[in-house]
Amino acid sequence: MGTHPAVPARGLEPALALLALLGLYAFGWLAVAPNRLVSGTSLGAAAALGWGVHAIAVLILGAVALRRWRPGLAPALPVMLLVLAAALALGLTGDAARHQLQELAPAARAMLGFGFWLGIAALLVLLAEVLRGASIWLRVLAPLLLLGIAALAGWLGLLDRLSLVVEYQARAETLHAALLRHLALAGAALGIVLAFGIPLGWWAFRSPRAEAALAAVLNAVQIVPALALFGALIPLLSALLRAVPALRGLGVEAIGTAPTLIGTAAYAGLPLWRGILAGLAAAPREVVGVAEAMGMDEARVTRAVRLPLGLPVFLAALRVAAVQCIGLVALGGLIGAGGLGALVLEGMAQFATDLILLGALPIVALALLADGALRLLEGRLAPWRR
Amino acid sequence: MAAVIAFEDVSVAYGGRDGLRDVTLEVAAGELCVLVGPSGAGKSTLLRLVNRLVAPSAGVVRVRGEDIARNDPIRLRRSIGYAIQSVGLFPHRTVGENIATVPRLLGWPEPRIAARIPELLALLRLDADLAARYPHTLSGGQAQRVGLARALAADPDLLLMDEPFGAADPILRRALRAELRRIHAVTGKTILLVTHDAEEALELATRVVVLRDGRVLAAGAPLELIRAADPFVRDLLGGDAPALRRLGLVTVAAAMAATAAPAGAPVIAPGASLSDALSLMLETRAEVLAVGEDGRTLGSLGLPGLLRAVPMPAPA
């Protein structure tokens, strides 16, 4: 909780660059298989991409070297080098897939290998690391630029022969529906968390006894494995529905949406509740004391002192809860709630790696997006700390 | 003069430290009354009774003649200026908004508030540009002054100050004390101030109240108390060098003679203290000083005159 230091950890960036190079040179980059269900033969990046692989490596090393030996330099140049490296990796890989599949049957697939995922992941984390010290416009621009390049490559058909893209094109409608469903589930869960977390946070702030009791309950929830909790909710809810059949009329069912929302909200409840409590207590005691001594009543002290001073803490708690909701709702796929989790589950049932990724990647992207957006907001809303 | 604050047989039961026992005390309008005593003596408790941050277990506290237990504490607090050691500026509000706190609570029209902020900054000799800054950008001295400006914002006739300069370094403390004396002289407000620093008490107060173990041990003008019979009071206020402390309380103007000083005598201002005068004599090896201001000569001060001005009590 709280703010993260702006100072980058020394050695982190070179380590990330090393991981990216490992992805490029040490592992399989692309696997060519006769159909989507077998693993096929693996190609290294050098074999698949040709000389371009060294260009990518040089761009990454150049960015890290600039950061290392020109620490005074504005981050814009290394950021652009890294964006270029990512764009090059994406474009060359799409082209390599097309090239590899030229002579093969239409069912043949070019699947992205471990090396690709390691390399791209390390590259993106490295980019995020460099962006941490950058100006706000660069922090917004660089991800947009990256997305724009990926979208352009997709639109131009550069990526069409990659197995993941083939899979996407076959299931675009399902995926879009699952994405919306996922967002709706996560949003509803977050709404429930807020509806309970805020009043319970206030209650705990006013009463130390309530705090102890609520902390015990919410901590206990965290100890139960998430999957077990989701599973256990099904018999509990069906027993409840037998006892109170009227709930069925409200659309409550023992599987699917209801247990997913309840389970997710129970999990995300602890970080949000903690954050509300910490935010309310964030105002220094002497500041609250002076406010009272100058003639503010309790309601005004809360409105004029506690809430604004707690705002950054509240937002941090909201961020953690939102990210948790996006992630946990995916488990709802296992109990019939649909959403991106259901796609992952289907992919696992079919041993279809690309389908798993098709569900998992948007979950990760949503979580990162929510996290990034709320972080930006946190920085904006506390002008007195700059 | 009417009593602005009156404590009538007030007790506060805290069980041990910081309680009060049967305190009866009046603070008259325009006084700068300083509560002094060791920690745990109940000074802050006595101060916090005045704006009902503490409730008495027995006795009556009157402010401006009215029993405060019968009136709304919120309205009472808005009518009294309040400043504390840690300053307690609202970190999320600009200096101007901090100063505007009580006027806003009182519902002043915005133009009046907007006009009041620069007035107060000027009174505290702060730059008008400071109004737009956030507290974390201020120096310690600026923050203390803004705290004082905030306490004065709604022009209260009564000011409570709890160790207001406690967090400042010695040089800053001296400057802030001078500032407070000046503001007291300019505004004529009634001020009740708590300190554990005897020197500060003697320098600031028109009246000193010495507290110990929840009781008032002595109350009176600084010069009276410094030669008080009670050995605790004498030790507390006089410290290691009671004679020098007393020199610091008498002005040159009060001790000088109308006779002219010999030519070339060092010049001292009439508002300086006798300890300043003695210091100047020691530095310049002159036994007689000329008293003057703005180029005019007012009289002279010799060593014998200085000694006569500070009679010592007979040895016990």
Side-chain angles (χ1 to χ4, degrees):
Chain A
M1 197 147 304
T3 54
H4 289 257
V7 191
R10 279 188 77 79
L12 181 57
E13 291 176 10
L16 287 166
L18 185 68
L19 278 180
L21 293 187
L22 277 176
L24 277 174
Y25 289 107
F27 295 99
W29 190 265
L30 205 60
V32 179
N35 64 59
R36 68 193 273 262
L37 301 180
V38 296
S39 24
T41 43
S42 180
L43 289 172
L49 311 184
W51 282 101
V53 68
H54 306 308
I56 297 168
V58 165
L59 285 169
I60 294 172
L61 287 175
V64 173
L66 277 176
R67 297 276 291 169
R68 189 97 179 157
W69 287 292
R70 292 277 182 279
L73 190 77
L77 184 57
V79 163
M80 286 308 137
L81 292 182
L82 292 174
V83 169
L84 197 58
L88 205 56
L90 199 62
L92 287 177
T93 306
D95 194 51
R98 191 181 49 78
H99 184 77
Q100 294 293 335
L101 296 179
Q102 243 166 11
E103 320 256 298
L104 299 177
R109 293 285 185 115
M111 299 179 192
L112 296 166
F114 177 72
F116 175 87
W117 292 115
L118 176 66
I120 285 292
L123 185 52
L124 292 181
V125 175
L126 178 58
L127 183 61
E129 207 38 50
V130 175
L131 281 175
R132 264 187 6 171
S135 64
I136 187 132
W137 68 265
L138 198 58
R139 281 158 70 186
V140 174
L141 184 79
L144 283 181
L145 191 62
L146 212 52
L147 282 177
I149 289 172
L152 185 71
W155 185 69
L156 289 174
L158 260 178
L159 310 176
D160 278 356
R161 296 310 308 272
L162 285 173
S163 179
L164 188 62
V165 178
V166 175
E167 196 76 36
Y168 166 73
Q169 279 164 349
R171 291 178 177 263
E173 263 176 57
T174 322
L175 179 66
H176 292 163
L179 185 67
L180 288 179
R181 172 82 181 142
H182 199 93
L183 277 175
L185 284 172
L190 188 60
I192 295 172
V193 173
L194 291 173
F196 283 93
I198 291 171
L200 290 181
W202 176 256
W203 187 33
F205 174 68
R206 308 290 3 198
S207 150
R209 259 209 212 153
E211 184 193 338
L214 286 167
V217 171
L218 289 169
N219 278 316
V221 171
Q222 303 284 316
I223 293 169
V224 184
L227 205 52
L229 179 70
F230 278 56
L233 277 168
I234 297 175
L236 281 177
L237 272 175
S238 51
L240 180 71
L241 285 173
R242 269 199 302 278
V244 192
L247 285 174
R248 268 183 218 283
L250 298 172
V252 178
E253 285 176 41
I255 59 162
T257 311
T260 299
L261 293 184
I262 294 171
T264 303
Y267 257 92
L270 182 73
L272 185 88
W273 173 78
R274 274 260 158 78
I276 298 287
L277 191 57
L280 287 170
R285 238 167 46 129
E286 71 268 15
V287 172
V288 172
V290 167
E292 281 165 357
M294 289 197 305
M296 290 194 192
D297 54 25
E298 187 56 40
R300 200 184 279 265
V301 170
T302 298
R303 187 154 38 88
V305 179
R306 287 203 183 101
L307 292 185
L309 284 177
L311 193 60
V313 185
F314 296 143
L315 276 175
L318 178 66
R319 177 167 56 79
V320 174
V323 169
Q324 283 214 349
C325 282
I326 291 169
L328 283 167
V329 155
L331 288 179
L334 289 174
I335 53 171
L340 293 167
L343 278 189
V344 175
L345 191 69
E346 198 189 328
M348 290 201 286
Q350 302 180 6
F351 296 101
T353 321
D354 289 314
L355 187 53
I356 297 174
L357 286 172
L358 209 57
L361 287 178
I363 298 176
V364 176
L366 280 179
L368 288 177
L369 204 67
D371 186 76
L374 285 166
R375 263 183 211 282
L376 280 182
L377 203 60
E378 273 169 50
R380 296 272 96 180
L381 284 180
W384 67 87
R385 299 206 297 198
R386 278 199 303 274
Chain B
M1 257 193 286
V4 175
I5 308 171
F7 301 95
E8 298 169 4
D9 291 321
V10 173
S11 294
V12 174
Y14 271 157
R17 287 165 65 87
D18 285 318
L20 290 172
R21 278 182 288 173
D22 299 324
V23 171
T24 295
L25 183 71
E26 289 197 346
V27 180
E31 270 190 317
L32 201 173
C33 179
V34 176
L35 306 175
V36 67
S39 63
K43 312 177 292 277
S44 290
T45 308
L46 192 58
L47 182 97
R48 291 159 67 85
L49 278 167
V50 178
N51 59 357
R52 276 185 71 178
L53 292 173
V54 171
S57 46
V60 173
V61 181
R62 290 182 196 282
V63 172
R64 304 178 193 103
E66 287 182 52
D67 179 356
I68 58 171
R70 294 168 185 280
N71 291 326
D72 175 21
I74 298 293
R75 268 188 43 205
L76 175 76
R77 288 173 193 166
R78 290 177 187 178
S79 74
I80 298 174
Y82 186 78
I84 55 167
Q85 168 173 357
S86 54
V87 189
L89 292 178
F90 299 128
H92 60 301
R93 294 188 171 183
T94 62
V95 166
E97 289 164 350
N98 262 286
I99 293 175
T101 305
V102 179
R104 287 242 159 81
L105 289 174
L106 292 172
W108 285 19
E110 279 306 312
R112 189 174 164 204
I113 295 174
R116 183 68 178 148
I117 293 166
E119 246 176 67
L120 283 159
L121 290 173
L123 178 67
L124 273 298
R125 302 196 224 207
L126 288 165
D127 202 347
D129 296 345
L130 241 51
R133 300 241 302 254
Y134 282 104
H136 79 277
T137 65
L138 302 179
S139 71
Q142 285 171 329
Q144 298 267 0
R145 281 164 211 253
V146 171
L148 195 50
R150 181 173 67 173
L152 290 165
D155 205 12
D157 59 338
L158 173 58
L159 211 54
L160 303 178
M161 310 184 81
D162 196 348
E163 302 259 8
F165 314 133
D169 61 69
I171 295 171
L172 181 58
R173 281 173 85 104
R174 205 171 304 154
L176 288 167
R177 277 184 220 157
E179 201 71 36
L180 182 62
R181 271 209 314 263
R182 187 178 63 82
I183 286 166
H184 180 242
V186 171
T187 61
K189 298 199 182 297
T190 310
I191 300 176
L192 186 62
L193 183 144
V194 162
T195 182
H196 65 270
D197 179 343
E199 199 184 325
E200 182 163 288
L202 292 173
E203 188 185 328
L204 285 174
T206 58
R207 192 152 70 111
V208 176
V209 175
V210 179
L211 285 149
R212 187 194 190 186
D213 297 334
R215 290 180 192 280
V216 172
L217 219 56
L223 261 181
E224 266 170 52
L225 286 197
I226 213 165
R227 41 179 196 242
D230 187 297
F232 175 80
V233 174
R234 214 164 50 218
D235 279 0
L236 180 77
L237 297 181
D240 293 334
L244 287 177
R245 283 271 167 89
R246 292 177 60 195
L247 276 181
L249 296 175
V250 182
T251 60
V252 168
M256 72 178 190
T259 52
V267 180
I268 190 158
S273 71
L274 289 187
S275 58
D276 295 334
L278 184 62
S279 172
L280 187 62
M281 287 177 186
L282 288 169
E283 279 166 34
T284 58
R285 319 308 298 177
E287 292 188 4
V288 182
L289 303 176
V291 181
E293 201 171 28
D294 305 329
R296 288 181 303 124
T297 307
L298 305 168
S300 65
L301 176 70
L303 199 50
L306 187 146
L307 294 178
R308 269 197 308 279
V310 193
M312 284 289 135

